[in-house]
Amino acid sequence: MAQDFIDTIDQDIHSEPMILQMGPSHPATHGTVRFTLTLDGETIIKADTEVGYLHRGFEKEVENKTWTQAFPYTDRLNYVSPLLNNFGYALAVEKLLEIEVPDRCDWIRTIMGELSRLSDHLTCLGAGALELNAMTAFLYAIEGRELVWDIVEAVTGARMTVSYGRIGGVKDDLPENFGEMWQKARARILDIHATTHKLLSRNRIFLDRMEGTGVLTPDQAIAWGYTGPTLRSTGVAYDVRKDHPYFKYNEVDFTVPVGTRGDNYDRYLVRMEELVQSVSIIDQALEKMEPGPINTDDPRVMLPEKQKVYNSIEGMIAHFKIVFEGIQVPAGEVYSYTEGGCGELGFYIVSNGTGKPWKVHVRSPSFIHMGGIHKLLEGSMISDLIPTFDTINMIGGECDR
Amino acid sequence: MAKKLIDLVKRKHKDAVVDSHNRLGDDTVIIRPEHLIEIATTLRDDAGAKMNLLRDITAVDYLNRVPRFEVVYIFYSIELKHQLLVRVLVDEDSCKVPTLNEVYPIAGWLEREVFDMYGVDFTGHPDLRRVLLYEEFEGHPLRKDYAVQASQPRVALRARERDAVEEFKEYVQDERAKGSREQY
């Protein structure tokens, strides 16, 4: 009898897959990406990702500018952590030029890079909580990010579009009261970190949404090119800062947090722990750095002093040539990579020996993460898409270039 | 360990390597497209290489050189922490490279970008369509003969919905007969 009844229902309620267009500007996916979802009830059976809504021809533009003029464009890649892009690009060009930057410059880059990572992770955590309706946690996280951005503003003069990196150095030294500013922000950020743990980490609703959703195995993650916190959440301790230290990461002590299950909750926890590690790196760096020059003295890349420009013909010519013709980078190809906010940020650069790049390609983690995100979505519920998409932390500007 | 990977590729694929160097610490081999799949498979499976991460695929347009294009593959081993750049020479006329979709799952997605920007045809690719630009875009913008200021015609509203929708219709046709519970 009961079986008959079920059979009748099955005949009547024949469920067809439904197509759902999610995006490009869905309020709960903070980034312009479109998912074409094929649904069976509430289960996603096929997900097709479409990116490119923010494409603005980064690579083509940079090919027609001088090497230095590329910096403002790199700001707009991952606009939540622009400093990391600046320094990543500078590092690549310096590798091709075979120049070394002074110690103090490396320390400044370490510190400012970690500040950027703080802002990146805080944004990701805050926005992720917001999308799960946890408005309070979002406000705390954004308060933390504001503190970071206040420091960034005091150092660089801008909050997001910083253009602070230079080939062979940085734009300016840190202000004198940097230590004080950092101490104030640091205390509040750690406070916020603790509050966020209290608000979210053992929160029943949050756990239900995050635990066991968007699961990646280590093999899957590597095969689909995942790097950064997403890869580390699966238990693979791959961090460029640790495995191939650049700047001064070999002189500071930090650990690489890894997860065990590779789900959304692990990705959240990995980011939370990386906040603490970043704070500790900045503390150590401020302690260890010493006064000194912040720019290399290589005349091929540095503008001569104003005194020389105004009072000698050689200085004037050198200034003119660097500004108008650009820095002459020797011909060759190079791939240089750093740890960005949401994964490995690489630059493949080709020079033909002139003042303009022949090619600048960005290995943008966001774009590559979007290539394999359907693996995380297919088979899960539609409501799982929201936290999964957030913890992958795709940034539109970087993904679409 | 600097030259180890280059030697490995040379030993296993004698005729394939056109040139190799490790300038600035980047180990690089330059090969012809026909050997790409075997070399990639060697790099992934060989115990001395273990390159499980395909970092990136990109291309370079050298314009006046013959062959004109180079498709660049960046392989990395998370376990052994070494990297190899494989540069594939591509002629302008044929402009074909075999797809690595079967060897590295992410390759399919990255190849779509190279196709989009440079018009390199990846033979055997199951779903080679534009990824960053739109379907109606004419030309391949990162080729050096594409002008920076070139403008594109205005696109009319699409008559046809996306592939996925058609796919869905076929799917519905096939699956309608079956009961909902048997599908998965």
Side-chain angles (χ1 to χ4, degrees):
Chain A
M1 187 65 195
Q3 191 55 44
D4 291 350
F5 190 60
I6 289 170
D7 287 345
T8 319
I9 291 178
D10 264 1
Q11 278 167 12
D12 290 349
I13 315 173
H14 67 280
S15 77
E16 295 183 342
M18 182 178 80
I19 293 281
L20 185 74
Q21 298 285 353
M22 201 151 176
S25 53
H26 188 277
T29 58
H30 56 259
T32 38
V33 61
R34 183 165 94 166
F35 294 109
T36 306
L37 305 173
T38 311
L39 302 175
D40 174 43
E42 275 197 78
T43 312
I44 300 168
I45 51 179
K46 186 173 180 303
D48 185 43
T49 322
E50 187 179 304
V51 297
Y53 290 93
L54 284 181
H55 182 64
R56 54 213 183 279
F58 167 81
E59 291 173 25
K60 192 76 177 173
E61 287 288 336
V62 171
E63 282 172 17
N64 293 280
K65 301 278 183 295
T66 64
W67 290 96
T68 312
Q69 282 171 338
F71 280 106
Y73 289 93
T74 58
D75 286 344
R76 286 146 180 87
L77 288 172
N78 186 341
Y79 36 72
V80 193
S81 51
L83 288 154
L84 290 168
N85 308 329
N86 274 195
F87 300 149
Y89 171 73
L91 199 67
V93 182
E94 281 157 14
K95 188 174 171 187
L96 199 48
L97 276 161
E98 292 181 82
I99 51 174
E100 298 262 317
V101 295
D103 274 359
R104 186 169 174 87
C105 171
D106 269 345
W107 282 119
I108 292 176
R109 285 179 177 181
T110 311
I111 293 169
M112 296 308 286
E114 289 308 312
L115 273 179
S116 251
R117 198 181 312 283
L118 283 177
S119 100
D120 198 289
H121 285 1
L122 283 167
T123 313
C124 171
L125 294 168
L130 175 73
E131 282 150 15
L132 302 180
N133 252 348
M135 186 75 184
T136 321
F138 168 75
L139 290 174
Y140 278 115
I142 295 302
E143 189 200 337
R145 189 180 76 172
E146 284 300 304
L147 293 170
V148 172
W149 281 6
D150 284 346
I151 298 180
V152 170
E153 190 182 11
V155 176
T156 70
R159 287 154 64 79
M160 290 179 94
T161 51
V162 291
S163 302
Y164 180 66
R166 291 288 186 277
I167 295 162
V170 290
K171 185 185 129 214
D172 243 330
D173 207 338
L174 300 178
E176 272 175 19
N177 62 344
F178 185 87
E180 278 165 50
M181 282 192 298
W182 166 243
Q183 286 309 326
K184 268 187 208 155
R186 176 188 191 277
R188 186 69 192 129
I189 287 169
L190 289 179
D191 224 18
I192 286 169
H193 179 263
T195 313
T196 311
H197 259 316
K198 278 184 214 156
L199 281 170
L200 297 177
S201 299
R202 305 306 303 159
N203 181 322
R204 186 74 257 162
I205 303 169
F206 191 73
L207 282 168
D208 284 347
R209 297 285 303 266
M210 302 288 268
E211 259 187 332
T213 57
V215 182
L216 265 181
T217 64
D219 289 342
Q220 255 182 347
I222 294 170
W224 286 96
Y226 282 99
T227 45
T230 315
L231 178 61
R232 291 196 281 276
S233 77
T234 64
V236 182
Y238 169 62
D239 188 322
V240 183
R241 293 175 294 170
K242 206 70 168 177
D243 294 339
H244 305 276
Y246 51 99
F247 301 158
K248 288 288 178 189
Y249 285 113
N250 49 356
E251 292 183 30
V252 290
D253 184 31
F254 66 101
T255 54
V256 179
V258 290
T260 47
R261 290 159 300 179
D263 62 355
N264 285 324
Y265 189 62
D266 272 12
R267 290 198 274 278
Y268 158 81
L269 288 179
V270 165
R271 281 209 170 80
M272 286 295 274
E273 185 51 33
E274 281 187 15
L275 284 179
V276 181
Q277 296 302 328
S278 288
V279 168
S280 134
I281 291 174
I282 298 175
D283 286 345
Q284 293 173 46
L286 279 173
E287 210 162 275
K288 285 189 178 173
M289 75 192 285
E290 279 165 13
I294 53 161
N295 287 319
T296 171
D297 50 6
D298 194 324
R300 288 179 302 164
V301 299
M302 288 319 294
L303 289 171
E305 290 162 31
K306 281 282 175 285
Q307 185 68 19
K308 282 185 187 157
V309 177
Y310 291 136
N311 295 312
S312 74
I313 187 73
E314 291 80 13
M316 170 80 109
I317 290 173
H319 182 96
F320 183 86
K321 282 181 92 75
I322 287 182
V323 172
F324 278 79
E325 291 176 1
I327 292 164
Q328 306 293 307
V329 177
E333 307 81 10
V334 82
Y335 179 71
S336 158
Y337 47 98
T338 57
E339 183 72 26
C342 47
E344 179 191 305
L345 178 77
F347 284 90
Y348 183 75
I349 290 184
V350 181
S351 169
N352 61 347
T354 62
K356 288 178 179 175
W358 186 254
K359 180 184 172 65
V360 174
H361 175 79
V362 193
R363 182 217 190 263
S364 81
S366 295
F367 177 75
I368 292 172
H369 291 181
M370 283 301 107
I373 196 168
H374 62 278
K375 281 282 153 200
L376 291 168
L377 301 178
E378 282 169 8
S380 65
M381 305 288 273
I382 190 166
S383 59
D384 297 341
L385 186 147
I386 309 293
T388 305
F389 184 73
D390 173 76
T391 52
I392 296 292
N393 195 20
M394 173 267 202
I395 308 282
E398 182 182 66
C399 176
D400 301 342
R401 283 159 287 163
Chain B
M1 96 164 211
K3 290 264 285 170
K4 208 182 77 190
L5 283 167
I6 299 176
D7 293 341
L8 176 87
V9 175
K10 276 186 177 166
R11 198 174 64 238
K12 293 238 172 175
H13 307 277
K14 272 200 194 74
D15 320 322
V17 180
V18 179
D19 196 6
S20 67
H21 64 78
N22 65 345
R23 206 163 42 226
L24 299 169
D26 285 349
D27 294 353
T28 310
V29 290
I30 301 174
I31 60 163
R32 298 251 164 226
E34 52 270 25
H35 303 288
L36 175 65
I37 292 184
E38 30 181 296
I39 288 178
T41 316
T42 308
L43 288 176
R44 187 190 59 178
D45 297 338
D46 193 279
K50 286 191 182 168
M51 313 200 93
N52 44 5
L53 181 69
L54 175 59
R55 267 183 169 155
D56 205 356
I57 304 177
T58 184
V60 189
D61 178 1
Y62 287 96
L63 198 57
N64 294 321
R65 198 190 72 175
V66 178
R68 180 175 162 182
F69 295 103
E70 236 171 46
V71 179
V72 184
Y73 296 80
I74 304 165
F75 297 101
Y76 181 75
S77 165
I78 290 202
E79 199 178 317
L80 303 175
K81 307 197 192 309
H82 53 203
Q83 175 186 267
L84 181 70
L85 272 74
V86 176
R87 285 158 53 182
V88 183
L89 300 169
V90 184
D91 290 321
E92 190 181 356
D93 302 329
S94 68
C95 216
K96 275 187 174 38
V97 180
T99 178
L100 278 189
N101 200 24
E102 300 291 316
V103 192
Y104 292 92
I106 190 62
W109 177 256
L110 298 170
E111 282 163 357
R112 276 175 67 187
E113 191 202 343
V114 176
F115 162 74
D116 195 352
M117 294 297 165
Y118 288 93
V120 177
D121 183 11
F122 290 91
T123 47
H125 194 294
D127 185 24
L128 195 64
R129 57 194 155 101
R130 287 186 182 275
V131 60
L132 288 176
L133 301 170
Y134 47 94
E135 275 173 56
E136 294 85 353
F137 195 94
E138 289 165 15
H140 300 281
L142 280 184
R143 288 192 173 194
K144 288 283 175 185
D145 48 13
Y146 186 95
V148 193
Q149 296 295 333
S151 63
Q152 289 280 325
R154 202 186 160 118
V155 181
L157 282 176
R158 272 180 201 158
R160 191 169 64 79
E161 276 293 332
R162 289 176 44 78
D163 297 346
V165 177
E166 277 166 20
E167 214 173 273
F168 154 69
K169 281 180 185 154
E170 281 170 28
Y171 179 86
V172 173
Q173 289 297 321
D174 298 344
E175 299 290 318
R176 181 169 280 163
K178 297 181 193 168
S180 60
R181 276 157 204 260
E182 291 151 46
Q183 286 177 21
Y184 309 103

